[in-house]
Amino acid sequence: MTMREWRLPAALILLGLIPMLAGAGRLTELGTGPQVTPENARFVADPLPVVLHIVGAVVYTILGAFQFVPRLRRQRWHRRAGRVLVPCGLTVAFSGMWMAVGYDLPAHDNDVLAGVRLVFGSVMAGAILLGLAAVLRRDIDRHRRWMVRAYAIGLGAGTQAFTHAPYLIAVGEQPDGNLRAGLVVAGWLINLAVAEWYLRRPARAVTAPALTLS
């Protein structure tokens, strides 16, 4: 892989690094019998959805980033990786919705944010299923488009770290209520806007084949 081919997957993995490190910390905490606090009580009481979410998200983020590499897309690896990515992506989406309805709301969240998570989780799952249906019909372009959108939503937590950062720096604490919901939504919308820009670029500006996850 040339340095130019490496840039995009590296950038995508770096974008997901903050939530991946946070997830690794959460898994380590759950695996060591933590003291129960208001912040972690819901995870300690029912760890399955958060464990599924973290593991699925790490695999989806890293493996999905390499689907943007032209050389790998021309090999069987691409299709084999896609067979892992589809169930991982669905696991991320459905476990996220599971947590939104199954866990008590933490102090900084509200019902608006819980509803938003259900909406974007549903959209991500729907995009993956539409992409899968498209590739089974041999409609590669439509498949590519839906899978890029699903991956953009899956990377939302990485961008949300940056949408929250100015408030954290200025105020010194987490935003809450509708402000937090707005910042979370902003992260997803930024990613989807970038995904649409990527998909709509003129053909002459595309330097690598677009992402597919089949």
Side-chain angles (χ1 to χ4, degrees), residues 71 127 184 186:
R71 188 175 304 177
V184 170

Side-chain angles (χ1 to χ4, degrees), residues 76-87:
R76 289 183 180 179
W77 181 93
H78 175 76
R79 181 172 296 178
R80 292 171 180 168
R83 290 170 181 165
V84 176
L85 284 163
V86 166

Side-chain angles (χ1 to χ4, degrees), residues 140-149 199-200 211:
I140 301 304
D141 182 66
R142 193 174 298 273
H143 165 75
R144 170 181 62 90
R145 290 176 179 277
W146 283 118
M147 290 305 191
V148 168
R149 291 164 182 149
L199 291 169
R200 294 171 187 271
L211 173 67

Side-chain angles (χ1 to χ4, degrees), residues 1-10 12 63-79 144 198 201 205-212:
M1 205 177 344
T2 67
M3 287 298 297
R4 188 169 185 174
E5 289 176 317
W6 171 251
R7 289 175 187 170
L8 182 54
L12 294 171
L63 201 58
F66 288 96
Q67 297 291 66
F68 286 92
V69 178
R71 188 175 304 177
L72 294 179
R73 288 187 67 254
R74 292 190 291 267
Q75 299 175 4
R76 289 183 180 179
W77 181 93
H78 175 76
R79 181 172 296 178
R144 170 181 62 90
Y198 176 85
R201 290 181 302 170
V206 176
T207 57
L211 173 67
T212 62

Side-chain angles (χ1 to χ4, degrees), residues 18-44:
I18 293 175
M20 285 193 288
L21 290 175
R26 180 69 67 192
L27 292 180
T28 301
E29 178 190 42
L30 292 173
T32 56
Q35 180 180 356
V36 178
T37 67
E39 197 276 331
N40 69 11
R42 63 194 187 280
F43 304 129
V44 175

Side-chain angles (χ1 to χ4, degrees), residues 185-206:
V185 170
W188 274 316
L189 293 182
I190 289 168
N191 281 13
L192 285 172
V194 173
E196 292 302 321
W197 168 82
Y198 176 85
L199 291 169
R200 294 171 187 271
R201 290 181 302 170
R204 64 179 179 275
V206 176

Side-chain angles (χ1 to χ4, degrees), residues 78-148:
H78 175 76
R79 181 172 296 178
R80 292 171 180 168
R83 290 170 181 165
V84 176
L85 284 163
V86 166
C88 281
L90 291 173
T91 296
V92 172
F94 287 124
S95 62
M97 291 188 284
W98 182 1
M99 290 189 291
V101 299
Y103 284 160
D104 292 334
L105 288 173
H108 296 290
D109 293 1
N110 62 8
D111 290 335
V112 173
L113 181 52
V116 164
R117 286 174 171 151
L118 290 175
V119 169
F120 279 92
S122 299
V123 173
M124 179 178 174
I128 292 171
L129 294 174
L130 287 169
L132 180 60
V135 80
L136 292 175
R137 300 192 306 269
R138 304 292 182 181
D139 188 345
I140 301 304
D141 182 66
R142 193 174 298 273
H143 165 75
R144 170 181 62 90
R145 290 176 179 277
W146 283 118
M147 290 305 191
V148 168

